[in-house]
Amino acid sequence: MSPAPVSPLSLGIPGPLALVVMGVSGSGKTTIGRLLAVRLRWPFFDGDDYHPEANVAKMAVGCPLTDADRQPWLGRLRDLIQERLALGESSVVACSALKRSYRATLRAGDERVRFLHLDGDFDLILGRMRSRAGHFMKAGMLRSQFETLEPPAQAIVIAVDAPPETVVEAAIRALRSG
């Protein structure tokens, strides 16, 4: 039996919120984001779905994206987040958000945008990446993701060395505590 959905009001969240689930590729952004969205009864948006085709093609051949490559993608996600908030609707968005500047773009100065950093060590994440099939991000690019990552100062940080349901419960506890 799956756990009951969590009311956003029970988390002490008075209005709409955008929760950006961030971390390196393979950290579980999509899995955890989807599970959180179900529990919170908020829509889920996977940032990978908003990449321009040129970005996907570049990553598919093992070429890391540049900041210039990422800007249109981050802009799309920022606009999505702001549209949802303007409608008074909360959302969960999966996005790597590896650099402070990327998070600043996504936040757009809006304190209703919060970050949940899924944190795991290189070997754990590499093992996960090697076991998944059909994703455009290749395991060989993981090192560049860890090198690019600027750990966030203002984020909920959750270790991903537990089953997804445990990670989600930890995230919900952290949201409750503010």
Side-chain angles (χ1 to χ4, degrees), residues 22 115-120 151-160 167 170-171 174:
M22 61 160 291
F115 293 90
L116 171 65
H117 179 202
L118 300 179
D119 189 33
Q154 294 181 333
I156 297 168
V157 179
I158 303 290
V160 295
V167 173

Side-chain angles (χ1 to χ4, degrees), residues 24-27 118-128 142-143 146 159-161:
V24 298
S25 185
S27 62
L118 300 179
D119 189 33
D121 69 34
F122 183 85
D123 290 332
L124 172 71
I125 304 296
L126 181 62
R128 288 179 175 186
L142 183 60
R143 180 68 60 199
F146 271 91
V160 295
D161 57 353

Side-chain angles (χ1 to χ4, degrees), residues 99-155:
K99 289 186 177 182
R100 282 184 285 284
S101 62
Y102 304 166
R103 294 186 292 274
T105 297
L106 294 169
R107 178 170 274 144
D110 193 328
E111 292 302 315
R112 298 174 298 173
V113 180
R114 295 191 194 165
F115 293 90
L116 171 65
H117 179 202
L118 300 179
D119 189 33
D121 69 34
F122 183 85
D123 290 332
L124 172 71
I125 304 296
L126 181 62
R128 288 179 175 186
M129 289 185 77
R130 286 182 172 155
S131 68
R132 70 182 184 184
H135 195 275
F136 59 79
M137 177 65 86
K138 303 302 179 206
M141 293 176 53
L142 183 60
R143 180 68 60 199
S144 73
Q145 291 242 314
F146 271 91
E147 290 168 357
T148 300
L149 176 64
E150 297 171 354
Q154 294 181 333

